[in-house]
Amino acid sequence: MRIILAPMEGVVDYEMRDVLTQIGGYDRCVTEFVRVTENNLLPNRVYRRFSPELANGGMTPAGVPVYLQLLGGNPKSMALNAAKAQKLEPPGIDINFGCPSKTVNKSDGGSVLLKEPSRIGAIVGAVRDAVDPKIPVTAKIRLGFSNHDFLEEVVDNIINAGANEVCIHARTREDGYKPPAYWSSVKQVADKSPIPVIINGEIWTPEDAKLAKEQSGCTDIMLGRSAMRCPDLALIIKADQDAQPHQALAWLEVLEIVLRYLHNSENRHPNFVSNRSKQWLVFLQKRYPEAAALFQRIKRLKVADEVFTEITAYLKTVD
Ligand SMILES: Cc1cc2nc3c(=O)[nH]c(=O)nc-3n(C[C@H](O)[C@H](O)[C@H](O)COP(=O)(O)O)c2cc1C
């Protein structure tokens, strides 16, 4: 089983991929989506900003490959940008057909394309043809826009266009992020697919991972929000699969990782550290109730230094 860390815009950035892949268990990451609009050839600095790993052979410091994700609805423009991006030698290029954002969908990208299986085929085919055959091209989709009617056709078109893998977030655009994820709806396409199909959505525990694989017929899984809630989840799932013991991270170990992430992000924009620290504590609090208490202490802080001072003061109370 491979475990892939999901792309999450505004959450899973370079620094987050770094700390999570250092903890371990992940076989691949995907960048936040890079928006490709019609007639716009993006400069290299944009790709390097989304994937600083490109300076390191496309690998996180822990050595995990990071695929570059493109999002757009125009086959020609996607192909031109993919052709340019591949010169920076990403380990793979992923195409986003799942983004539910109204703004993105209105400007012809993301999940709205699930209504047009032939265009999805054209985009994947154009990108595949534009990129060196040695570089894998993958697609990330949902079950559909408002129903599952086109799922089979979408997946067939992705396969026929020459994609190397497809990842399915087992919900429609209309389902949003509401549980459940419909893992069993993936089975009919996974069972007959000649390329790997990766199951994604609502995998929070080793038991969920087992069920998701069983019900979808997939071997590999992708973890999104659960990776934020439980930073060692990939290790926990792999240990469970191999019937090996795993000592789950204690709260203070997790907090040390949060601090490392925040310190590595210090040179971002002024509110970055305070925003991201609150965001991560909200994810963590379901598993670590201590995170909720720390969140209360920092929730009104805006400046990075104040956040670090408060966390240091908090650490003195729990040592
Ligand atoms: C805040 C947020 C940002 C996301 N950004 C992206 C993105 O940039 N590209 C993408 O393909 N999916 C994106 N997704 C979808 C996730 O990759 C994943 O498919 C989804 O969260 C379901 O998996 P989960 O239930 O494990 O979280 C995003 C999801 C969230 C919650």
Side-chain angles (χ1 to χ4, degrees), residues 7-9 33 69 96 140 169 171 177 200 202 224-225:
M8 286 173 67
E9 191 213 6
F33 68 78
Q69 187 180 68
N96 177 325
K140 182 160 177 284
H169 175 188
R171 274 184 277 241
Y177 292 98
N200 167 239
E202 280 324 293
R225 294 160 301 162

Side-chain angles (χ1 to χ4, degrees), residues 10 13 15-16 258-281 294-295 298-311:
D13 52 18
E15 290 83 357
M16 187 59 74
V258 173
L259 272 172
R260 201 177 334 127
Y261 166 73
L262 296 176
H263 278 299
N264 290 345
S265 313
E266 262 182 292
N267 55 358
R268 301 272 202 141
H269 65 76
N271 291 344
F272 191 91
V273 165
S274 69
N275 291 345
R276 293 298 174 101
S277 54
K278 291 171 211 168
Q279 177 177 262
W280 203 356
L281 291 174
L294 181 55
F295 176 84
I298 65 159
K299 69 178 180 193
R300 291 204 173 74
L301 306 179
K302 292 211 161 56
V303 180
D305 280 351
E306 291 172 350
V307 174
F308 288 124
T309 306
E310 194 56 36
I311 296 180

